[in-house]
Amino acid sequence: MSQKEVNGSSHRGKVLTLETMNQNVRQVEYAVRGPMVLRAVQIEEELKKGVKKPFTEVIKANVGDAHAMGQKPITFIRQVLALCAYPALLEDDKFPEDAKLRARRILDGCGGQSIGAYSASQGVECIRKDVASYIEKRDGGIPSNHENIYLSTGASDAIVTMLKLLICGEGRTRTGVMISIPQYPLYSAALTELQGVQINYYLDEDKCWGLDVGELRRSLTAAREHCNPRALCIINPGNPTGQVQSRQCIEDVIRFAKEEGLLLMADEVYQDNVYAEGCVFHSFKKVLFEMGPEFSSVVELVSFHSTSKCYMGECGFRGGYMEVVNLDPEVKAQLTKLVSVRLCSPVSGQALMDVVVNPPQPGEPSYATFTQERAAVLADLAEKAKLTEESFNNVPGFHCNPVQGAMYTFPRITIPQKAIDQAKAAGQAPDQMYCMKLLETTGICLVPGSGFGQREGTFHFRMTILPPKEKLKYVLEKIAEFNAQFLQDYS
């Protein structure tokens, strides 16, 4: 064999194959856009071609995409974005002065007064200052420094960036990251890609998906046998489980993180989505600082927020931020370097985030309309959360915890042994088979619980509560009908 052939310069086929590609990427799984969604898209194409189905449309209840489900944009948000995108509209009398004021401020902070220019890697400075002011107000005056704010491409980008900073070591020194089960599969996918060690801790379904410090300790102790646990991820309000953590629970988690030397990652993208009576959103940062300097000067905390959820639902703009607390200054410099490699997050998304954190105030012309639209969206979601819980709890074999917050329900379902055996023989998770049959029968696309993780022997699915009320009622009815037939077929 020639030296050319040994070095691989003799072309014998594709450079990239399944065998020669990055195997970490190959192992990544992301259930929210996995096999169920691929099949749903195929079915949509079949319907367009006139293929006869027992339904006329595919209803994608698998993802928290509010506008795709028919939610109307908030008027003030889109007015400011329109002004930023096409500044000539600033001369148009149809736009209110408070929208123009915000657009001018954002544009003044952009290179060439255009959102088409790159921003600083951390984000436009005046927007970061507005985010810091929003956090201070939200947390009752606890200071926030804009130098600790990083604007990002949705919260997902910021989460992955922090995991990149964290993960290092080999073998038993390899970084482990604690994530809740059930979890949002971004975390498991990112850990697989980055070769971090996933440390599972289980939420308690019988206590409304509660978080127990005893379970955290069990999980941590077991993990230290094979890796180096360095971070604890919390999603509050919960995705996919919809629970809202009590203040006491958050205090317990912070104490645990301090005792065990863990960095806290608080995913708080659903902070406005709280529906259940008696439930209140408490930010981890607020609780941390109210616990006093023994904790607030020591515990490393990174909090995440997004424009994609809450009442805005502006997923496509990919706006988000993270705030870092107690990060080592030298590490923070490395973080800034890391985000600079991708230049900056989309400036249109940054502008949207600015409107979210700096909405109309009392006395401004847009205040009444804005508050009315915001309240209407959240009230509608609260009603649909209750409707979904009650409907599922009337379905034989279903158990659904209250949807206290976020945008999803995660009911436990009963799958007969005959169906479990059939699914395993086909190499499928039983709840994946259930959801696939539901899709083929009704056109309703859900995500099987196995894609989020669940206790052995239990089965679930995640469904968004975002469809319009009448369509949601239809979805709930069809799922109940399908379930009855499924139980009959496999009894």
Side-chain angles (χ1 to χ4, degrees):
M1 185 181 290
S2 70
Q3 189 61 39
K4 227 180 198 183
E5 290 171 318
V6 169
N7 291 340
S9 57
S10 178
H11 186 66
R12 293 185 178 180
K14 299 287 186 187
V15 173
L16 265 179
T17 67
L18 280 177
E19 287 69 38
T20 62
M21 70 174 284
N22 183 329
Q23 295 302 297
N24 296 330
V25 173
R26 191 176 174 186
Q27 290 168 24
V28 166
E29 293 182 2
Y30 185 66
V32 175
R33 293 201 173 185
M36 300 299 305
V37 181
L38 296 176
R39 179 58 189 142
V41 171
Q42 289 173 352
I43 292 173
E44 284 182 318
E45 291 302 314
E46 291 168 11
L47 287 170
K48 286 177 187 175
K49 292 174 182 174
V51 177
K52 296 298 180 187
K53 303 278 183 185
F55 49 86
T56 57
E57 67 170 328
V58 172
I59 300 174
K60 292 178 181 173
N62 60 297
V63 65
D65 191 349
H67 292 194
M69 282 289 167
Q71 181 179 309
K72 300 301 180 191
I74 299 295
T75 302
F76 185 76
I77 288 176
R78 288 300 181 91
Q79 286 174 330
V80 177
L81 288 175
L83 292 163
C84 288
Y86 189 53
L89 293 173
L90 288 164
E91 306 306 318
D92 193 324
D93 292 338
K94 294 187 184 75
F95 286 82
E97 285 304 313
D98 49 353
K100 290 180 180 180
L101 181 71
R102 283 160 179 78
R104 288 192 184 100
R105 184 166 186 271
I106 292 167
L107 291 170
D108 285 346
C110 296
Q113 293 191 313
S114 170
I115 61 169
Y118 288 130
S119 74
S121 297
Q122 271 187 254
V124 176
E125 184 177 36
C126 69
I127 298 176
R128 289 188 289 120
K129 286 182 176 179
D130 286 346
V131 170
S133 296
Y134 161 82
I135 292 170
E136 278 192 22
K137 185 176 178 182
R138 181 198 68 188
D139 292 345
I142 292 165
S144 176
N145 186 338
H146 75 279
E147 295 293 353
N148 293 330
I149 306 295
Y150 290 77
L151 301 180
S152 57
T153 308
S156 301
D157 174 57
I159 290 165
V160 173
T161 297
M162 284 309 304
L163 290 174
K164 284 180 180 177
L165 273 188
L166 273 162
I167 293 171
C168 63
E170 298 295 336
R172 288 188 64 168
T173 67
R174 192 67 177 166
T175 297
V177 178
M178 301 181 71
I179 64 173
S180 61
I181 300 295
Q183 53 108 16
Y184 178 53
L186 163 70
Y187 292 92
S188 55
L191 288 170
T192 299
E193 181 185 353
L194 299 170
Q195 289 191 290
V197 179
Q198 177 177 322
I199 305 170
N200 296 339
Y201 66 89
Y202 288 90
L203 302 177
D204 189 343
E205 185 171 11
D206 294 332
K207 294 181 179 176
C208 203
W209 299 111
L211 193 163
D212 177 63
V213 170
E215 168 60 13
L216 289 179
R217 205 168 298 284
R218 177 209 63 78
S219 172
L220 182 71
T221 301
R224 281 183 169 147
E225 296 296 316
H226 59 87
C227 70
N228 179 23
R230 303 179 69 207
L232 168 59
C233 299
I234 308 286
I235 308 175
N236 180 47
N239 176 11
T241 43
Q243 83 283 7
V244 177
Q245 290 183 351
S246 68
R247 182 192 171 89
Q248 184 59 56
C249 176
I250 293 171
E251 286 187 13
D252 292 344
V253 169
I254 290 170
R255 285 193 186 90
F256 175 79
K258 179 180 181 289
E259 289 168 11
E260 302 295 347
L262 298 171
L263 180 144
L264 276 174
M265 295 176 64
D267 182 339
E268 298 175 335
V269 303
Y270 298 98
Q271 57 191 258
D272 289 325
N273 298 110
V274 177
Y275 317 121
E277 194 175 333
C279 288
V280 178
F281 170 75
H282 301 279
S283 79
F284 264 78
K285 184 186 177 188
K286 182 175 190 286
V287 176
L288 173 65
F289 277 79
E290 287 178 347
M291 290 173 71
E294 177 190 351
F295 297 92
S296 62
S297 64
V298 177
V299 175
E300 294 155 87
L301 170 68
V302 187
S303 303
F304 306 92
H305 195 18
S306 168
T307 61
S308 300
K309 309 302 177 185
C310 297
Y311 62 92
M312 306 83 69
E314 295 278 10
C315 304
F317 279 97
R318 309 307 299 129
Y321 74 75
M322 63 178 165
E323 181 185 28
V324 298
V325 175
N326 290 326
L327 207 61
D328 183 290
E330 292 182 345
V331 173
K332 192 176 157 197
Q334 295 298 315
L335 170 60
T336 304
K337 178 184 75 175
L338 182 59
V339 299
S340 72
V341 172
R342 285 169 290 177
L343 297 173
C344 67
S345 62
V347 179
S348 55
Q350 295 184 38
L352 174 54
M353 179 54 80
D354 189 71
V355 189
V356 171
V357 300
N358 186 21
Q361 299 301 306
E364 290 188 309
S366 301
Y367 179 74
T369 301
F370 172 82
T371 51
Q372 182 181 8
E373 290 179 350
R374 180 184 185 277
V377 169
L378 294 175
D380 185 56
L381 287 170
E383 189 177 341
K384 291 188 290 190
K386 191 68 176 170
L387 170 66
T388 305
E389 175 202 342
E390 290 174 351
S391 297
F392 278 155
N393 280 327
N394 284 322
V395 175
F398 276 32
H399 169 73
C400 184
N401 274 318
V403 183
Q404 296 176 335
M407 295 178 171
Y408 316 97
T409 182
F410 197 70
R412 185 170 69 232
I413 60 176
T414 300
I415 298 183
Q417 190 60 46
K418 184 178 175 183
I420 294 171
D421 294 341
Q422 182 178 314
K424 288 182 178 176
Q428 279 186 309
D431 49 16
Q432 183 179 0
M433 184 183 85
Y434 180 98
C435 289
M436 190 64 79
K437 285 184 178 292
L438 175 74
L439 174 62
E440 299 286 355
T441 306
T442 67
I444 298 166
C445 182
L446 307 177
V447 191
S450 49
F452 300 90
Q454 55 199 352
R455 282 198 180 274
E456 186 72 28
T458 67
F459 307 105
H460 303 78
F461 61 73
R462 187 188 81 163
M463 187 188 85
T464 180
I465 62 171
L466 287 173
K469 203 173 304 170
E470 290 309 309
K471 184 170 280 191
L472 180 61
K473 288 178 181 176
Y474 169 82
V475 167
L476 294 168
E477 287 168 8
K478 286 297 175 184
I479 290 173
E481 289 173 12
F482 168 82
N483 187 71
Q485 189 62 52
F486 183 88
L487 293 179
Q488 184 179 319
D489 291 345
Y490 287 98
S491 60

